[in-house]
Amino acid sequence: MRDFGGIVELRPARVVRPGSAREVAAAVREAAARGLEVVPRGLGHSAHGQSLTTGISLDLRGLAGVGEVGARHAAVGAGTSWREVLAATLPLGLTPPVLTDHLDVTVGGTISAGGIGGTSHLYGTQAENVLALDVVADGEPVACSPGVRPELFDAVRAGLGRHGVITGATLRLVPAPRRVLSCTIPCRDAADLLRVQREVRAEHISGQVKPSEDGWRFEAKAVLYRAGAAPPAGTARTEDLAYPEFTDRLRPDVEELIALGEWARPHPWGMVFLPASRAAAVIEATLAEMTPADLGLGVILIKALRVGHVPMLAVPDDPVLFGVLRTASPGCAPVAEMLAANRRLLDRALGIGGSRYPVDAVPATGQGPRGWAPKPRS
Ligand SMILES: Cc1cc2nc3c(=O)[nH]c(=O)nc-3n(C[C@H](O)[C@H](O)[C@H](O)COP(=O)(O)OP(=O)(O)OC[C@H]3O[C@@H](n4cnc5c(N)ncnc54)[C@H](O)[C@@H]3O)c2cc1C
């Protein structure tokens, strides 16, 4: 079995697709009795084998589904994708405050990673916008929230499934805008892009670095949810979009990458959090060592955000997410070279007080591709 990263391949002893929290608990107890690791899996979009195991693989897609949707919350199964959440909430004019760029990942999977989106400068991570969780811990189904078993609630959010299996979540919802104005702002360099992200007042803001004939090109995207709002200074292009279309904006690119066979290639992704005060220097130093061949048909993301109370997500003060999302496309650098470049990036990040995202992604110098030792689970 592989994940999206396509670098680690592990054959599970057994795949279980539980249909209830009780069946999850039974599988966890079976694993404990047989001395096997048990690893939850959502849609398998992890990049470094985090959702793989040689023990029992728990396919949480058996727990997909949206239950009650209230004026400010939705109760969903852990295996529900964010696309499925939106399909239930948008007709009621509601949306989760933070959405991942790609909607075909599960609620349980991204809460277990953290879950960062273009609104994370305002709302933090998806893990912070969960009101309560149903979890299987110590082989038993239990509920937790900030007020009930808060230590478990804090251990499973951004915990990558190591401290319990999330079976359901009560998600916070906010009113969804009907239309948005997406404004593209070309930037001079990394420092300018970070300045724009800090200064521009936009509900959704992101940054990318793209290869061009003149070297790396920096671009911020500020998306305004306010009807009739004026584009920010420096805007070169605007696009007026219906909110549902905006949330699913990656779909055409994903479909093209699937058609080209690029979606199935190895993805040696390197993602780190950098302290904002030193971020531009690390980003520029990383890009100075790179050519487009070191990225393949990949993407470079820069996103300043704020992270609230998520103890498992170690981030520096005033964090900036820097993601070098490489694809080992034909004719590009081989996987081993891309992994080595990720290690250099991680070493640089750690050297200035940064960290990795998700917490155990990007193997550090001296670690194998699955850069963490399996730990006892739930
Ligand atoms: C194309 C693409 C776009 C992405 N965009 C974003 C983005 O915008 N923002 C962002 O933050 N991340 C993004 N990611 C990373 C993504 O958040 C993680 O890969 C996430 O874990 C994927 O969810 P999944 O359902 O595929 O989880 P999986 O890969 O199946 O699992 C990920 C981890 O969570 C654990 N896990 C899964 N389900 C549960 C559960 N129910 N209970 C406990 N542990 C569980 C697994 O054991 C594993 O450790 C993206 C990844 C891809 C491939």
Side-chain angles (χ1 to χ4, degrees), residues 2 4 7 9 43 52 60 76 84 150 160 171 176 191-192 197 218 227 256 269 291 322 357 365 367:
R2 289 168 61 169
F4 179 80
I7 296 160
E9 193 162 344
L43 277 160
L52 305 177
L60 268 299
V76 308
E84 291 159 347
L160 288 175
L171 306 174
D192 192 36
Q197 293 201 0
F218 295 77
E256 192 182 343
W269 283 15
T291 69
F322 178 41
Y357 179 71
T365 302
Q367 291 182 321

Side-chain angles (χ1 to χ4, degrees), residues 68-73 94 173-175:
E68 181 205 348
V69 182
R72 288 278 177 270
H73 74 275
L94 297 167
L173 300 177
V174 294

Side-chain angles (χ1 to χ4, degrees), residues 185 187-198 205-209 217-221 302-303:
I185 307 173
C187 300
R188 275 188 314 278
D189 51 25
D192 192 36
L193 196 158
L194 290 170
R195 179 195 59 77
V196 168
Q197 293 201 0
R198 201 169 46 242
I205 191 154
S206 57
Q208 279 200 25
V209 187
R217 196 162 53 79
F218 295 77
E219 185 179 285
K221 192 132 302 188
I302 299 174
K303 167 72 190 164

Side-chain angles (χ1 to χ4, degrees), residues 3-4 39-47 50-51 60 78-79 99-102 104-110 112-117 126 160-162 164-167 250 263 269 271 357-358 377:
D3 62 3
F4 179 80
V39 175
R41 180 180 172 92
L43 277 160
H45 279 55
S46 51
Q50 294 96 329
S51 58
L60 268 299
L99 289 168
T100 45
D101 293 344
H102 181 53
D104 297 313
V105 287
T106 65
V107 167
T110 63
S112 297
I116 295 162
Q126 290 179 323
L160 288 175
R162 300 203 200 156
V165 180
I166 301 169
T167 56
L250 286 198
W263 203 248
W269 283 15
M271 278 193 278
Y357 179 71
R377 305 209 175 215

